Amino acid sequence: KRKRQWFEAFNWFKTSQGFLVIGGRDARSNEAVVKKHMEKDDLFLHADIQGGSACIIKADGKEISKEAMEEAAIFTAVKSKAWQHQLVSVDVYAVFKEQVSKSAPSGEGLSTGGFMIYGKRQWFRKTPLEFAVGLLPEGNSFLAMGAPPKAVKKACLVSFVLGYGTRKRSDVAKEIFKAFSKKID
């Protein structure tokens, strides 16, 4: 057994350049991502659709590359309602920490997981919904990582690209688990 890392409580992945991206799994964890884990130079991303994960790229003192932003935008798009609606693409925006607020205009309120965004947004138009899962080596074990195919292929030992379908998620998950088990035995 290995000790879980703090970011495993969220949706997460590591970009091709090694930046950690985390996103909320629900309204409460969206709040935690922004309030507890977003720091000065981190970048906030959200899909331009009702219902989605509040995602951040952890800068860790480095300048976030355009490639890392594009991968995080794809991740953000997939973690929104756009995937459930089987959309091919969705617009995603990014802003800095100081542009994200829990303060609503006078007379309005914000629900849990909701934020006000102020100022200019950086847009990633028609972001494709592409997703893969893979096994990321971590010491003597592995972490299952779901992310854009480019990031998964670069970091993971074995991977599978996922798409829309009519099969149950649980059946697909079992099939992937069996395939992963065969690869690492």
Side-chain angles (χ1 to χ4, degrees):
K1 282 242 176 187
R2 65 171 184 79
K3 186 179 179 209
R4 280 179 52 111
Q5 297 189 46
W6 69 270
F7 57 81
E8 291 181 75
F10 304 100
N11 292 320
W12 68 274
F13 85 101
K14 292 185 181 178
T15 69
S16 298
Q17 300 78 39
F19 289 96
L20 176 64
V21 177
I22 61 171
R25 295 179 184 268
D26 55 25
R28 274 194 140 134
S29 58
N30 278 347
E31 291 274 341
V33 163
V34 174
K35 286 182 173 180
K36 293 181 182 176
H37 299 290
M38 190 169 183
E39 297 173 325
K40 182 182 179 292
D41 294 327
D42 295 346
L43 203 59
F44 173 93
L45 295 99
H46 199 280
D48 194 27
I49 188 171
Q50 179 70 32
S53 185
C55 296
I56 60 171
I57 304 173
K58 299 295 294 169
D60 289 328
K62 298 177 274 186
E63 185 176 335
I64 300 170
S65 69
K66 184 163 178 56
E67 190 175 9
M69 288 184 220
E70 289 169 352
E71 289 177 9
I74 293 169
F75 181 79
T76 302
V78 169
K79 295 298 180 180
S80 74
K81 294 283 185 187
W83 183 272
Q84 291 174 354
H85 296 306
Q86 297 187 1
L87 300 177
V88 176
S89 65
V90 68
D91 293 341
V92 174
Y93 64 85
V95 295
F96 292 103
K97 180 180 177 157
E98 59 271 7
Q99 294 175 262
V100 181
S101 175
K102 281 302 288 180
S103 300
S106 182
E108 293 183 30
L110 289 172
S111 61
T112 301
F115 303 95
M116 290 298 299
I117 306 298
Y118 296 97
K120 188 175 178 176
R121 301 171 191 205
Q122 180 176 354
W123 286 97
F124 298 89
R125 301 284 184 193
K126 296 184 179 176
T127 301
L129 278 74
E130 303 169 337
F131 206 65
V133 293
L135 291 178
L136 179 68
E138 181 74 22
N140 293 331
S141 62
F142 297 95
L143 292 175
M145 183 172 90
K150 184 177 180 181
V152 171
K153 286 177 184 171
K154 182 170 182 178
C156 293
L157 182 67
V158 60
S159 64
F160 296 96
V161 176
L162 303 177
Y164 301 120
T166 56
R167 296 175 55 204
K168 288 182 183 177
R169 275 198 272 185
S170 59
D171 292 342
V172 173
K174 288 175 189 172
E175 189 175 321
I176 291 171
F177 179 77
K178 285 179 189 175
F180 281 161
S181 296
K182 287 179 186 175
K183 292 280 188 180
I184 61 173
D185 280 344

